Structures are given as structure tokens and as C-alpha cells.
Amino acid sequence: MSSAHTPDWPPNAPSVTTQRRQKDGTVVEFQCPPSVAAYAEFMNGVDRLDQNTRQNKSKKSMKWYRRVETKLMETSIYNAYVIEGDTVPHKVDGKTKRDFLSFKLDLAHQLIGDGYTERHQTGGRPRSDVNNTPPRLDRTDHWPVAGVGKDHTCVVCTARHKQYRDTHAGVKYADNPNKISKTTMMCEKCRVYLCCNNHKDCFKVYHTRVQYV
């Protein structure tokens, strides 16, 4: 004979229940194994971890062990983000919530530290030995052209961001007024990427000011 109720699982174990919402909106409570109840209680943390550490489609081109390495690194960073939230609230009234991306950017900047240096590719007119004027200020043959790819940051924006960060100890990325901007335009002669649009004049600043930060 069939029982009118769901039997305890495992036998003689304390009764554990969980709830499920039906399609019509009603909530039904039923008995279940303790593991199911525990999963229902803590699954939000697992789901958030998966959402924040998922790998994009381009990672499929990587070797399997590289994908595992990337996943483990992302998981470690997310765990650090959660631990930070227990010490410093991520949501403060009147301010934008500190999300996982902001945490990763701040972490990257702290790891890099003062290691960033402006790099110029060789080529173009050599530095003048007479007045020691940088080639970028010679005002000759500096033309904005489309670069290769889209994942490039503006040299001027990055330098300004770094200077503000260095002079304001402990400032978070979200609170830095000088945002790092991505651009697809570069100087054909200097071979550096610079903002060149209606909103920012980094290209002009870079080629006309000795101190462009």
C-alpha cells in the first residue's frame, strides 16, 4: 500500500522540510533529505560564485588546464571579495555598491603598484640632444589612426588615474575621478593609444604639454 505522506529519509532521522513555489504561486512544504534542505538554504552563495566567476566563450580556445587555472584564480578572488564584505560593507547609503569588478580593478592596481611605466615603441624622430625635447612634442607627423584591436587604454587617462591614486592613499577605483578609458585610436608616429573624440582631447594634450597629467 502506498503511504499518504512522504516517508522520512533516512529512516528514523529527524524530519526536515523544504518549500517549493508552484507555477500558480502557491508554496508547498514537503519532507526531504537534510542535504536538500541545506542546499536550498545556502545555494544563493553558490549561484553568485558561479555567476561572478563564469568564463566567457573565448576561454574555450584555451587548454583545459588553463581554464581550470583561471577558474581557481577567479574563485580565490571572489572569496577575498566576500571576506572584504564582512569587514567593510559593500553597500553604504548614498554610495554606489562596491561590486566584484571594482574589487578586481583595485586588486590589480595594488598588485601592479608603481610598476606601470609609459612605453614607447622604437621608431620616429630620435630625441633631440640640444633641447632634450620629447619626440611627442615635435609637432611633426603626429596623425590619429585606427589601432589594432579594441582592448587598449588611453595613456593620458591611465597616467592621470595613477597620479590621483598615488596622491590619495587608499582611494578606491570607483571613487577616482580620473577614469581609465579604452580607445581604438593611436598616434601613427608615437604608437601609443590616446582618446580622440568629442568628449576627451587626450591626443592633443599628449602632443602639446610637457606635463600631461
Side-chain angles (χ1 to χ4, degrees), residues 132-171:
N132 204 32
T133 301
R136 65 183 175 85
L137 299 178
D138 61 14
R139 303 199 177 195
T140 303
D141 297 331
H142 295 283
W143 305 106
V145 296
V148 179
K150 299 180 179 180
D151 192 21
H152 302 283
T153 56
C154 172
V155 168
V156 174
C157 292
T158 303
R160 289 175 174 174
H161 179 92
K162 179 179 179 295
Q163 183 189 57
Y164 186 90
R165 186 196 67 203
D166 292 343
T167 55
H168 296 74
V171 65

Side-chain angles (χ1 to χ4, degrees), residues 97-118:
K97 180 181 179 181
R98 178 168 169 78
D99 56 14
F100 185 45
L101 177 59
S102 297
F103 177 83
K104 291 173 68 176
L105 289 172
D106 284 341
L107 176 62
H109 292 154
Q110 291 175 12
L111 292 175
I112 294 172
D114 296 330
Y116 171 81
T117 56
E118 182 182 334

